[in-house]
């Protein structure tokens, strides 16, 4: 971990440090243009709002249980606040269907009210000169049937282990339940095709009706696509499992169908080849994700690819994740393998980037841009602050995941530097 301090190692992080003599502020490569979408969009800078699930959707029905949420004016305001001319925002994970929604308060993209709400978000971002991609997210087995009103789904009927609980009590109850008490159902081939069709329908609505500049598939963090990729979850013996190559079939078919519907210029993908979230603990990482990426590169030219740093993990400290990587035989692993595979496809890195470690990294050429989430949440004017060397706001972790009675707190009430100065407020340094 080099010069990573003990206090840093005790937190989630990516193990990266800025180059000592790196240009900072406006002279950094962070503030140079980047072309995505195969030449169709030119970003004015290389700091992207990472997807942030914050459960601020408006319930469609005032009944219990409500199972559908749509984006209201508060979500629109959240994205407006973080829009910069020529900057790219990636939305929170948007479920393409009801069974794919893993949490309450998350607005989907499968009914009229949701489509209307997302269209208003897109129009507001475009009015400020920004760009926005919709991230499509299917939680798969990372849900419970009480939440969606139907059995959960996955590559196989593989339950969670070790007593991990769903983070919310079931509707109308006060206590959390264990995932393992509600194992998923294995998708038949017919139902696999139905899930792909739902993704395609949502992507078409996103691009053609809402006006999104493109869509990103969430292929990581232990959600449905990664459940197919993970050998400890996918126990199938048909064309969708049993080998690294076959475990890639679902995601390759999904991306192919999306390419045919909306075009590769508007299609991107997020992956976490070394992630462990949602108990994705499979083996053959390099074989599986290497094959997947080579096949994707051969068959399509994506708008960009989006990878999570190997040492960053939401549920483990940097020190703990380093130990896992060492136990897998990856003590010095990085994302260069995947950058080499994708070549000239714009390459975005996410996980653990901040105002201390982002300088001089893009200049090396492994990455083309950073996706930053939590600090962009707490610092709506982060782009301007990084340009000027101003400190960032601290985020309030307790306000990450709603729903909340006062949803604006810890969501749209973070001050800009100028606002904080006007009222004599203290800018908290991360």
């Amino acid at each position: 971990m080099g010069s990573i301090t003990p206090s840093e190692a005790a937190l989630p992080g990516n193990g990266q440090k800025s180059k000592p003599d790196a240009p900072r502020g406006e002279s950094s490569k962070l503030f140079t243009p980047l072309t995505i979408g195969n030449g169709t969009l030119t970003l004015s800078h290389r700091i992207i709002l990472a997807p942030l699930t914050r459960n601020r959707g408006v319930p469609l029905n005032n009944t219990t249980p409500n199972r559908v949420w749509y984006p209201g004016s508060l979500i629109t305001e959240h994205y407006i606040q973080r829009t910069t001319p020529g900057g790219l925002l990636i939305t929170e994970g948007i479920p393409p269907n009801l069974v794919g929604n893993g949490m309450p308060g998350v607005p989907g993209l499968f009914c009229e009210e949701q489509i209307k709400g997302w269209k208003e978000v897109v129009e507001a971002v475009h009015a400020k000169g920004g760009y926005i991609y919709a991230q499509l997210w299917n939680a798969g087995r990372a849900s419970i049937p009480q939440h969606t009103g139907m059995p959960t789904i996955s590559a196989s009927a593989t339950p969670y282990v070790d007593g991990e609980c769903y983070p919310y009590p079931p509707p109308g109850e006060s206590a959390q339940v264990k995932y393992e008490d509600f194992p998923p159902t294995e998708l038949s081939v017919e139902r696999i095709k139905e899930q792909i069709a739902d993704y395609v329908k949502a992507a078409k609505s996103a691009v053609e009706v809402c006006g999104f500049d493109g869509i990103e598939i969430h292929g990581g963090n232990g959600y449905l696509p990664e459940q197919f990729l993970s050998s400890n979850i996918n126990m199938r013996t048909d064309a969708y499992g049993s080998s690294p190559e076959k475990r890639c079939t679902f995601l390759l078919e999904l991306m192919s169908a999306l390419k045919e519907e909306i075009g590769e210029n508007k299609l991107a993908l997020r992956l976490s080849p070394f992630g462990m979230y949602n108990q994705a603990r499979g083996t053959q990482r390099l074989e599986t994700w290497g094959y997947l990426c080579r096949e994707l590169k051969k068959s399509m030219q994506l708008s960009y690819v989006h990878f999570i740093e190997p040492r960053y993990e939401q549920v483990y400290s940097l020190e703990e994740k380093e130990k896992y990587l060492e136990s897998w035989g990856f003590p010095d692993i990085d994302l260069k393998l995947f950058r080499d595979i994708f070549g000239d496809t714009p390459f975005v890195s996410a996980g653990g980037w901040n105002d201390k470690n982002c300088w001089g990294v893009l200049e090396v050429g492994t990455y083309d841009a950073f996706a930053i989430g939590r600090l962009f949440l707490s610092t709506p004017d982060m782009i301007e602050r990084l340009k000027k060397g101003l400190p960032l706001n601290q985020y309030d972790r307790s306000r990450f995941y709603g729903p909340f009675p006062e949803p604006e707190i810890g969501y749209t009430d973070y001050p800009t530097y100028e606002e904080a100065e006007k009222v004599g407020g203290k800018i908290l340094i991360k």
Side-chain angles (χ1 to χ4, degrees), residues 128-397:
K128 281 190 71 177
Y131 302 118
I132 184 166
Y133 267 50
Q135 188 192 73
L136 297 184
W137 161 68
N138 189 319
R141 70 174 193 157
S143 187
I144 54 172
Q146 298 94 319
H147 169 56
T148 61
M150 57 189 73
T152 55
I153 59 172
S154 190
S156 298
T158 307
Y160 277 67
V161 296
D162 301 329
E164 184 173 342
C165 288
Y166 182 69
Y168 298 86
E173 299 182 26
S174 58
Q176 293 174 280
V177 297
K178 296 177 181 178
Y179 282 111
E180 64 192 44
D181 292 335
F182 304 95
T185 57
E186 178 175 308
L187 287 169
S188 65
V189 172
E190 180 182 4
R191 293 195 68 202
I192 286 174
K193 305 301 183 186
E194 290 173 357
Q195 292 304 309
I196 291 175
D198 285 347
Y199 270 107
V200 170
K201 183 179 179 181
K204 186 175 182 180
S205 294
V207 171
E208 296 184 4
V209 184
C210 300
F212 279 103
D213 297 292
I215 65 115
E216 175 184 287
I217 292 299
H218 196 338
N221 287 8
Y223 296 120
L224 184 63
E226 192 166 272
Q227 290 162 27
F228 275 89
L229 295 172
S230 299
S231 62
N232 69 310
I233 299 172
N234 184 347
M235 304 296 176
R236 304 175 74 101
T237 57
D238 62 3
Y240 294 90
S242 78
S243 71
E245 296 79 12
K246 290 182 179 180
R247 287 193 290 270
C248 297
T249 303
F250 172 77
L251 191 45
L252 290 172
E253 288 185 351
L254 171 60
M255 297 299 286
S256 178
L258 290 164
K259 173 191 169 183
E260 291 302 312
E261 187 64 44
I262 66 169
E264 59 191 2
N265 293 348
K266 294 182 180 293
L267 181 58
L269 175 64
R270 189 184 212 206
L271 295 172
S272 54
F274 305 101
M276 301 172 65
Y277 197 58
N278 283 312
Q279 298 193 6
R281 309 287 164 80
T283 58
Q284 297 181 299
R285 300 280 179 136
L286 297 183
E287 295 90 338
T288 303
W289 275 264
Y291 175 80
L292 171 69
C293 293
R294 284 188 290 272
E295 291 300 303
L296 286 170
K297 183 61 178 177
K298 284 193 295 186
S299 61
M300 61 190 74
Q301 182 66 24
L302 295 171
S303 173
Y304 64 84
V305 289
H306 182 182
F307 280 76
I308 298 175
E309 282 292 311
R311 287 165 182 77
Y312 182 82
E313 195 69 49
Q314 296 184 64
V315 292
Y316 294 108
S317 70
L318 173 59
E319 184 177 36
E320 289 170 324
K321 185 60 183 291
E322 288 272 4
K323 290 179 180 177
Y324 276 108
L325 290 171
E326 289 175 8
S327 72
W328 297 345
F330 299 145
D332 301 310
I333 196 68
D334 57 27
L335 295 175
K336 186 177 183 301
L337 163 69
F338 301 103
R339 177 60 197 241
D340 290 345
I341 291 171
F342 280 107
D344 59 354
T345 302
F347 197 100
V348 180
S349 169
W353 297 108
N354 55 50
D355 56 332
K356 305 296 192 301
N357 66 2
C358 66
W359 307 110
V361 180
L362 297 187
E363 283 78 357
V364 176
T366 304
Y367 311 132
D368 294 307
F370 295 135
I372 299 177
R374 296 172 181 182
L375 286 170
F376 213 154
L377 168 70
S378 63
T379 313
D381 58 336
M382 186 179 71
I383 305 304
E384 192 66 17
R385 294 201 206 185
L386 288 175
K387 282 183 179 180
K388 296 180 177 179
L390 300 173
L392 308 183
N393 295 343
Q394 176 63 281
Y395 49 75
D396 182 353
R397 189 182 297 271

